[in-house]
Amino acid sequence: MGDGAINYMLGIQRSIPIPRIGIDKLINYIITVGENPGINCSTLRSKGLDIGKGRGDITRFFARIGIVRVGEDCSVALTEVGQGIYRALIRDVYLGKSLLHLVLYSELPHYRLLMDLVAMEGEVGVDDLFKKVNERVRELSPSAWINEVAFKALLGLGKDLGVINVSNGRVSLRHAAAVSECLRSASVELDGQEIVRLGDLESCLRGVVGAFDSGRFMDMVRDCVEPIVAPGTNPRASYLKILNRECVLRALLSTLLSNI
């Protein structure tokens, strides 16, 4: 089992609690912290932007996925990733949502599993999807599972971010909004190894978010992949053997954020 598979399995075992909050409140939270670096947890709660005890459910959630950092005095500021999402939301809410989706896809194994299953199924019933998600979770870790509350929270996030459609008890993927789908659709599996064609990935991402610096991406992803380039071919036709998918996702996010 490779490092990526081990990390994914461990992530499944260590679930991150997801607050049952609408996307508008999550976006307002990011914008408020972006406009007020160092704002206190209690102030966020008084503004109606957080719930729960202590630091607050949303603050804890965003801290766990790397969007905010929290000081000992409960002051909250955006991380570099959080600042990139904040700039994107100010410029274009659609782009900001796409990048927030990619962060969730990178940092929440259950969310990634759910989105990958929807992509593979094409369209699937909500109840059937719930069963399939837990079947896959048990394959990765027999003692782990996703309860119905967490499943609905994940489904709600995907719907609110414009990544999936949920209608008449059926779930389907909205490809135009899913940055992560570019990586999946540009990949093939060969002898159990995920291979990505760089040109296909670049074309898909430009269609979703506009500019994409493939040179910067290659610089950032060099420790995550093993390039496969045939002599005399165009570099854009090169293939990448993925050694660590989480590393690739974070490099992809950093590359996209660098253009904002």
Side-chain angles (χ1 to χ4, degrees), residues 3-18 60-61 64-65 104 106-113 137 140-146 150 154 246 250:
D3 290 343
I6 292 172
N7 290 338
Y8 188 69
M9 182 182 71
L10 291 175
I12 287 289
Q13 293 171 338
R14 294 193 298 264
S15 176
I16 297 175
I18 302 166
R60 278 191 294 270
F61 175 66
R64 289 284 298 274
I65 64 174
L104 295 175
S106 173
E107 302 298 328
L108 292 180
H110 294 99
Y111 180 86
R112 188 190 323 161
L113 176 60
V137 167
L140 294 165
S141 177
S143 62
W145 71 296
I146 299 176
L154 292 168
E246 287 76 12
R250 291 189 178 105

Side-chain angles (χ1 to χ4, degrees), residues 2-260:
D3 290 343
I6 292 172
N7 290 338
Y8 188 69
M9 182 182 71
L10 291 175
I12 287 289
Q13 293 171 338
R14 294 193 298 264
S15 176
I16 297 175
I18 302 166
R20 299 183 66 188
I21 299 296
I23 193 63
D24 288 342
K25 180 170 284 190
L26 296 178
I27 288 174
N28 287 337
Y29 178 105
I30 292 172
I31 291 175
T32 298
V33 175
E35 293 174 345
N36 303 274
I39 188 171
N40 194 269
C41 300
S42 60
T43 304
L44 287 167
R45 190 179 291 104
S46 69
K47 289 177 176 289
L49 293 173
D50 210 342
I51 59 174
K53 299 178 180 179
R55 292 182 173 184
D57 294 349
I58 297 177
T59 298
R60 278 191 294 270
F61 175 66
F62 276 153
R64 289 284 298 274
I65 64 174
I67 289 179
V68 303
R69 58 177 178 272
V70 186
E72 291 184 3
D73 58 350
C74 217
S75 58
V76 184
L78 297 176
T79 62
E80 184 177 347
V81 169
Q83 289 170 0
I85 294 173
Y86 164 69
R87 291 193 300 269
L89 287 169
I90 295 299
R91 193 178 92 185
D92 181 349
V93 172
Y94 171 84
L95 176 59
K97 285 184 176 182
S98 293
L99 293 175
L100 181 53
H101 157 69
L102 187 56
V103 172
L104 295 175
Y105 187 84
S106 173
E107 302 298 328
L108 292 180
H110 294 99
Y111 180 86
R112 188 190 323 161
L113 176 60
L114 178 67
M115 296 306 152
D116 285 348
L117 279 171
V118 174
M120 288 187 286
E121 293 290 329
E123 183 177 287
V124 60
V126 172
D127 293 340
D128 194 25
L129 180 61
F130 179 59
K131 293 177 183 176
K132 288 178 181 293
V133 166
N134 275 301
E135 286 172 1
R136 181 60 180 142
V137 167
R138 283 192 292 270
E139 288 175 7
L140 294 165
S141 177
S143 62
W145 71 296
I146 299 176
N147 64 37
E148 191 170 357
V149 172
F151 172 76
K152 288 181 177 179
L154 292 168
L155 209 60
L157 279 173
K159 181 181 178 181
D160 288 348
L161 288 171
V163 179
I164 55 175
N165 289 313
V166 183
S167 179
N168 298 320
R170 307 288 294 176
V171 184
S172 58
L173 191 71
R174 293 183 60 183
H175 291 264
V179 176
S180 60
E181 176 63 12
C182 289
L183 180 60
R184 196 194 71 83
S185 63
S187 304
V188 296
E189 189 170 307
L190 184 63
D191 294 330
Q193 181 67 58
E194 189 175 8
I195 309 293
V196 176
R197 187 177 186 276
L198 182 58
D200 289 349
L201 177 62
E202 182 179 351
S203 297
C204 180
L205 287 169
R206 284 181 172 168
V208 174
V209 298
F212 179 70
D213 187 343
S214 58
R216 180 182 176 88
F217 174 67
M218 287 302 296
D219 286 341
M220 299 190 71
V221 83
R222 65 179 60 191
D223 294 330
C224 319
V225 301
E226 181 181 311
I228 306 172
V229 184
T233 60
N234 186 323
R236 291 189 73 252
S238 65
Y239 291 80
L240 306 174
K241 180 191 293 185
I242 294 183
L243 305 177
N244 186 317
R245 201 163 196 263
E246 287 76 12
C247 178
V248 171
L249 286 166
R250 291 189 178 105
L252 179 58
L253 177 63
S254 295
T255 303
L256 294 173
L257 292 174
S258 70
N259 293 323
I260 299 171

